Amino acid sequence: MSTLERTRCRARAHPTAVDAALAAAVLACMAAGSFIDPHGEHGATWGARTPNILSLTLMVLAAAALIFRRRAPMTVLAATVGVSLVELVTGDPRAPVAMSAVVALYTVASSTNRPTTWRVGLVTMTVLTAVAMLAGPMPWYAQENLGLFAWTGMAAAAGDAVRSRRAFVHAIRERAERAERTREEEARRRVAEERLRIARDLHDVVAHHIALVNVQAGVAAHVMDKRPDQAKEALAHVREASRSALNELRATVGLLRQSGDPEAPTEPAPGLARLDELADTFRNAGLPVEVARSDHGSSLPAAVDLAAYRVIQEALTNVRKHAGPEAKAEVSVVRVGPNVEVTVLDNGPGQDDRPEEGGGHGLLGMRERVTAIGGTCTAGPRYGGGFRVHAILPVKNRTPAMGDPV
């Protein structure tokens, strides 16, 4: 911190001391000016005149009033103007007591608004100048009278300029602080959304593959002794599901790596192009899945393609986990105008134990993922048994902003 900045900090911490020092300086200037005769034979002459007791008293009172100029600027201005008027009427020769009124007017202008400055400044200039012109021994056009008018006008203008600059600096500082708070809030929001997106992807990957591993491991344990060939086939499916899970986990977690890291994944995100492969994994786990597509092989934006795949994956995982061993699933992907509609139905017997609309991390993740790209997703029991998941995904989705969930 520089010497100037330290001085300013001390001045802001002790404003009364600063005002007292200013009052002392003004008193010294008024006292020195009272000994100078501006109309001497050789110009301004020091010691050519001596102020009387009344003038000295008025100077002391005016200077003392300036100590309180920040606390009550209007009161101090009225007091200094009153003291100056007394000196203008009684002083002969006059002492420069009006200097205190000039300082007080500057304080009022710098601490109030512009309309108040104009009104108070005009009244102060008019009163002081009029009394100086009418009550003094000098002619009305004397230099001292015109100088009094000029000094009060400059004080009002200078105070208004200081107030305007102070308000401008305050506004700039406040805008910068608001921008900083906004940046911090935006950073926190993006971090939270990114954590939510990663958690949703991890849930989709882990829930799907662990469910398949669990089913196949159960089959292998059940037929291990009597049908070892079928047990080996089930274990092969377990190995394939675990390998797929590891690959997807590596791709998801790899998104956290630096862009220049050579170990970052290069495999594209899954989409509807892998729908048949996804259905086969469930068929191998014992869940009959029928797939019907009428999207005409249209190319989808990456976010929409991934959302459709994840919705189907989560819906089929829920069917396998909750709908019972005899359940069947139907998947349809239909292009309807500007949207792609994804529907997953199952015929699970009666009311299964899946959470209804609004519950469960899987269903919640589905809705969040679809809503993020401007679509809608509904899920709930079907009349007569089973469950239905229906998602409407806009093909021309908005471009997600940085930090938007995908």
mmCIF file of all heavy atoms in Angstrom, residues 8 19 41 98 114 125 134 136 190 221 225 301 305 310 315 352 368 375 379 386 399 403:
data_model
loop_
_atom_site.group_PDB
_atom_site.id
_atom_site.type_symbol
_atom_site.label_atom_id
_atom_site.label_comp_id
_atom_site.label_asym_id
_atom_site.label_seq_id
_atom_site.Cartn_x
_atom_site.Cartn_y
_atom_site.Cartn_z
ATOM 1 N N ARG A 8 -5.081 8.151 3.000
ATOM 2 C CA ARG A 8 -6.525 8.161 2.769
ATOM 3 C C ARG A 8 -7.249 7.245 3.753
ATOM 4 O O ARG A 8 -8.340 7.590 4.241
ATOM 5 C CB ARG A 8 -6.821 7.726 1.332
ATOM 6 C CG ARG A 8 -6.442 8.764 0.282
ATOM 7 C CD ARG A 8 -6.705 8.233 -1.110
ATOM 8 N NE ARG A 8 -6.410 9.241 -2.119
ATOM 9 C CZ ARG A 8 -6.451 9.013 -3.439
ATOM 10 N NH1 ARG A 8 -6.787 7.803 -3.877
ATOM 11 N NH2 ARG A 8 -6.169 9.977 -4.285
ATOM 12 N N ASP A 19 -11.370 17.141 9.744
ATOM 13 C CA ASP A 19 -12.135 18.387 9.700
ATOM 14 C C ASP A 19 -11.554 19.432 10.643
ATOM 15 O O ASP A 19 -11.570 20.641 10.351
ATOM 16 C CB ASP A 19 -13.596 18.103 10.060
ATOM 17 C CG ASP A 19 -14.300 17.312 8.963
ATOM 18 O OD1 ASP A 19 -13.807 17.332 7.818
ATOM 19 O OD2 ASP A 19 -15.330 16.681 9.256
ATOM 20 N N GLU A 41 -0.427 50.887 -2.220
ATOM 21 C CA GLU A 41 0.204 51.636 -3.304
ATOM 22 C C GLU A 41 1.025 50.746 -4.225
ATOM 23 O O GLU A 41 1.154 51.019 -5.420
ATOM 24 C CB GLU A 41 1.109 52.725 -2.703
ATOM 25 C CG GLU A 41 0.345 53.783 -1.920
ATOM 26 C CD GLU A 41 1.280 54.838 -1.368
ATOM 27 O OE1 GLU A 41 2.511 54.700 -1.615
ATOM 28 O OE2 GLU A 41 0.808 55.782 -0.720
ATOM 29 N N ALA A 98 -15.929 35.065 4.896
ATOM 30 C CA ALA A 98 -16.741 34.322 3.925
ATOM 31 C C ALA A 98 -16.022 33.084 3.385
ATOM 32 O O ALA A 98 -16.662 32.210 2.773
ATOM 33 C CB ALA A 98 -17.136 35.232 2.767
ATOM 34 N N ARG A 114 -27.917 17.067 -6.866
ATOM 35 C CA ARG A 114 -27.703 18.246 -7.720
ATOM 36 C C ARG A 114 -28.800 19.304 -7.564
ATOM 37 O O ARG A 114 -28.483 20.494 -7.473
ATOM 38 C CB ARG A 114 -27.586 17.797 -9.174
ATOM 39 C CG ARG A 114 -27.349 18.931 -10.151
ATOM 40 C CD ARG A 114 -26.827 18.410 -11.462
ATOM 41 N NE ARG A 114 -25.513 17.810 -11.289
ATOM 42 C CZ ARG A 114 -24.895 17.099 -12.239
ATOM 43 N NH1 ARG A 114 -25.488 16.904 -13.411
ATOM 44 N NH2 ARG A 114 -23.695 16.601 -12.012
ATOM 45 N N MET A 125 -24.999 32.300 -2.896
ATOM 46 C CA MET A 125 -24.328 33.292 -3.751
ATOM 47 C C MET A 125 -25.077 34.612 -3.754
ATOM 48 O O MET A 125 -24.482 35.695 -3.629
ATOM 49 C CB MET A 125 -24.222 32.748 -5.185
ATOM 50 C CG MET A 125 -23.276 31.566 -5.340
ATOM 51 S SD MET A 125 -23.533 30.681 -6.890
ATOM 52 C CE MET A 125 -23.383 31.996 -8.070
ATOM 53 N N LEU A 134 -24.350 45.910 -1.074
ATOM 54 C CA LEU A 134 -25.225 46.943 -0.540
ATOM 55 C C LEU A 134 -24.756 47.502 0.799
ATOM 56 O O LEU A 134 -25.016 48.665 1.114
ATOM 57 C CB LEU A 134 -26.656 46.392 -0.385
ATOM 58 C CG LEU A 134 -27.335 45.929 -1.685
ATOM 59 C CD1 LEU A 134 -28.696 45.322 -1.380
ATOM 60 C CD2 LEU A 134 -27.480 47.097 -2.655
ATOM 61 N N GLY A 136 -21.499 47.367 2.216
ATOM 62 C CA GLY A 136 -20.100 47.710 2.413
ATOM 63 C C GLY A 136 -19.774 49.136 2.022
ATOM 64 O O GLY A 136 -20.528 49.808 1.306
ATOM 65 N N ARG A 190 -22.538 -24.425 -12.262
ATOM 66 C CA ARG A 190 -22.009 -25.335 -13.281
ATOM 67 C C ARG A 190 -21.374 -26.563 -12.636
ATOM 68 O O ARG A 190 -21.515 -27.686 -13.148
ATOM 69 C CB ARG A 190 -20.989 -24.607 -14.147
ATOM 70 C CG ARG A 190 -21.618 -23.549 -15.025
ATOM 71 C CD ARG A 190 -20.601 -22.929 -15.966
ATOM 72 N NE ARG A 190 -21.214 -21.943 -16.840
ATOM 73 C CZ ARG A 190 -20.574 -21.315 -17.810
ATOM 74 N NH1 ARG A 190 -19.306 -21.579 -18.032
ATOM 75 N NH2 ARG A 190 -21.197 -20.427 -18.562
ATOM 76 N N ALA A 221 -25.362 -69.966 -10.886
ATOM 77 C CA ALA A 221 -25.370 -70.690 -9.614
ATOM 78 C C ALA A 221 -26.453 -71.759 -9.577
ATOM 79 O O ALA A 221 -26.282 -72.833 -8.982
ATOM 80 C CB ALA A 221 -25.568 -69.688 -8.465
ATOM 81 N N ASP A 225 -24.454 -77.311 -11.210
ATOM 82 C CA ASP A 225 -24.247 -78.748 -11.007
ATOM 83 C C ASP A 225 -24.883 -79.590 -12.105
ATOM 84 O O ASP A 225 -24.291 -80.574 -12.580
ATOM 85 C CB ASP A 225 -24.807 -79.158 -9.643
ATOM 86 C CG ASP A 225 -24.058 -78.478 -8.498
ATOM 87 O OD1 ASP A 225 -22.862 -78.175 -8.698
ATOM 88 O OD2 ASP A 225 -24.669 -78.224 -7.446
ATOM 89 N N PRO A 301 -29.166 -35.326 -33.102
ATOM 90 C CA PRO A 301 -28.078 -34.657 -32.370
ATOM 91 C C PRO A 301 -27.534 -35.567 -31.283
ATOM 92 O O PRO A 301 -28.245 -36.418 -30.744
ATOM 93 C CB PRO A 301 -28.765 -33.413 -31.780
ATOM 94 C CG PRO A 301 -29.972 -33.186 -32.639
ATOM 95 C CD PRO A 301 -30.410 -34.543 -33.093
ATOM 96 N N ASP A 305 -29.605 -38.294 -29.087
ATOM 97 C CA ASP A 305 -29.304 -39.712 -29.302
ATOM 98 C C ASP A 305 -28.934 -40.402 -27.984
ATOM 99 O O ASP A 305 -29.415 -41.491 -27.666
ATOM 100 C CB ASP A 305 -28.159 -39.824 -30.311
ATOM 101 C CG ASP A 305 -28.148 -41.175 -31.020
ATOM 102 O OD1 ASP A 305 -29.203 -41.834 -31.045
ATOM 103 O OD2 ASP A 305 -27.080 -41.552 -31.536
ATOM 104 N N ARG A 310 -30.272 -43.776 -23.146
ATOM 105 C CA ARG A 310 -30.280 -43.919 -21.691
ATOM 106 C C ARG A 310 -31.686 -44.150 -21.158
ATOM 107 O O ARG A 310 -31.880 -44.899 -20.188
ATOM 108 C CB ARG A 310 -29.674 -42.677 -21.037
ATOM 109 C CG ARG A 310 -28.192 -42.482 -21.282
ATOM 110 C CD ARG A 310 -27.376 -43.651 -20.798
ATOM 111 N NE ARG A 310 -25.940 -43.362 -20.838
ATOM 112 C CZ ARG A 310 -24.993 -44.283 -20.761
ATOM 113 N NH1 ARG A 310 -25.335 -45.563 -20.642
ATOM 114 N NH2 ARG A 310 -23.714 -43.949 -20.804
ATOM 115 N N ALA A 315 -35.217 -47.889 -18.570
ATOM 116 C CA ALA A 315 -36.547 -48.494 -18.533
ATOM 117 C C ALA A 315 -36.458 -50.018 -18.588
ATOM 118 O O ALA A 315 -37.150 -50.723 -17.840
ATOM 119 C CB ALA A 315 -37.385 -47.963 -19.699
ATOM 120 N N ASP A 352 -46.430 -53.738 -9.870
ATOM 121 C CA ASP A 352 -45.090 -54.110 -9.440
ATOM 122 C C ASP A 352 -44.601 -53.110 -8.390
ATOM 123 O O ASP A 352 -45.296 -52.178 -8.019
ATOM 124 C CB ASP A 352 -44.122 -54.178 -10.628
ATOM 125 C CG ASP A 352 -44.145 -52.910 -11.445
ATOM 126 O OD1 ASP A 352 -44.124 -51.835 -10.822
ATOM 127 O OD2 ASP A 352 -44.203 -52.994 -12.683
ATOM 128 N N GLU A 368 -34.792 -35.728 -15.786
ATOM 129 C CA GLU A 368 -33.795 -34.654 -15.844
ATOM 130 C C GLU A 368 -33.068 -34.646 -17.173
ATOM 131 O O GLU A 368 -32.820 -33.592 -17.765
ATOM 132 C CB GLU A 368 -32.796 -34.814 -14.694
ATOM 133 C CG GLU A 368 -33.385 -34.510 -13.324
ATOM 134 C CD GLU A 368 -32.393 -34.787 -12.213
ATOM 135 O OE1 GLU A 368 -31.361 -35.440 -12.500
ATOM 136 O OE2 GLU A 368 -32.636 -34.363 -11.074
ATOM 137 N N GLY A 375 -37.263 -31.793 -23.858
ATOM 138 C CA GLY A 375 -38.312 -32.784 -24.062
ATOM 139 C C GLY A 375 -39.131 -33.020 -22.807
ATOM 140 O O GLY A 375 -38.993 -32.330 -21.800
ATOM 141 N N ALA A 379 -43.735 -41.522 -16.756
ATOM 142 C CA ALA A 379 -43.589 -42.931 -16.402
ATOM 143 C C ALA A 379 -44.621 -43.275 -15.346
ATOM 144 O O ALA A 379 -44.846 -42.499 -14.416
ATOM 145 C CB ALA A 379 -42.176 -43.209 -15.881
ATOM 146 N N GLY A 386 -48.402 -53.873 -15.458
ATOM 147 C CA GLY A 386 -47.258 -53.449 -16.246
ATOM 148 C C GLY A 386 -46.916 -51.984 -16.008
ATOM 149 O O GLY A 386 -47.490 -51.313 -15.147
ATOM 150 N N THR A 399 -29.087 -25.807 -28.405
ATOM 151 C CA THR A 399 -27.686 -26.133 -28.099
ATOM 152 C C THR A 399 -27.446 -25.922 -26.623
ATOM 153 O O THR A 399 -27.584 -24.818 -26.116
ATOM 154 C CB THR A 399 -26.737 -25.239 -28.899
ATOM 155 O OG1 THR A 399 -27.006 -25.421 -30.284
ATOM 156 C CG2 THR A 399 -25.291 -25.593 -28.609
ATOM 157 N N GLY A 403 -22.250 -26.180 -19.038
ATOM 158 C CA GLY A 403 -22.736 -26.431 -17.698
ATOM 159 C C GLY A 403 -24.135 -26.994 -17.674
ATOM 160 O O GLY A 403 -24.610 -27.451 -16.639
#
